């Protein structure tokens, strides 16, 4: 399964599933990342953390640890 962490810069991906439980999953969903939403990967910091994405017409920076819990297609 590919995760958001594996997505290449400039690609647009669709969220298939969010792994994790409780507060972690809730925090990811509160950021607007839900099943079926399209995410455009804008940038990745020089050391790989964080990842800057665009979704639902706004920009978001997400940590690699959180991006590993977002399954994409």
């Amino acid at each position: 399964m590919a995760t958001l962490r594996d997505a290449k810069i400039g690609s647009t991906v669709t969220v298939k599933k969010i792994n994790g439980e409780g507060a972690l999953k809730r925090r990811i969903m509160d950021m607007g990342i839900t099943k079926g939403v399209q995410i455009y990967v804008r940038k990745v910091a020089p050391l790989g953390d964080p990842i800057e994405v665009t979704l639902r017409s706004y920009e978001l920076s997400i940590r690699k640890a959180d991006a590993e819990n977002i399954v994409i297609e």
Side-chain angles (χ1 to χ4, degrees):
M1 290 187 292
T3 63
L4 184 58
R5 182 177 179 180
D6 304 324
K8 303 293 181 201
I9 296 171
S11 63
T12 300
V13 298
T14 303
V15 176
K16 186 175 179 181
K17 179 183 174 185
I18 299 172
N19 294 327
E21 296 179 7
L24 172 66
K25 188 171 184 176
R26 182 85 240 154
R27 186 167 43 107
I28 291 172
M29 292 176 72
D30 286 346
M31 288 188 263
I33 301 171
T34 56
K35 184 178 178 181
V37 74
Q38 290 193 331
I39 299 175
Y40 173 71
V41 182
R42 297 188 64 226
K43 300 180 202 172
V44 177
L47 297 176
D49 200 13
I51 300 168
E52 188 174 309
V53 298
T54 301
L55 67 141
R56 300 181 190 262
S57 301
Y58 71 94
E59 297 173 3
L60 174 71
S61 292
I62 187 165
R63 295 181 295 182
K64 284 192 303 188
D66 293 339
E68 288 178 344
N69 290 308
I70 302 167
V71 180
I72 59 170
E73 55 182 358

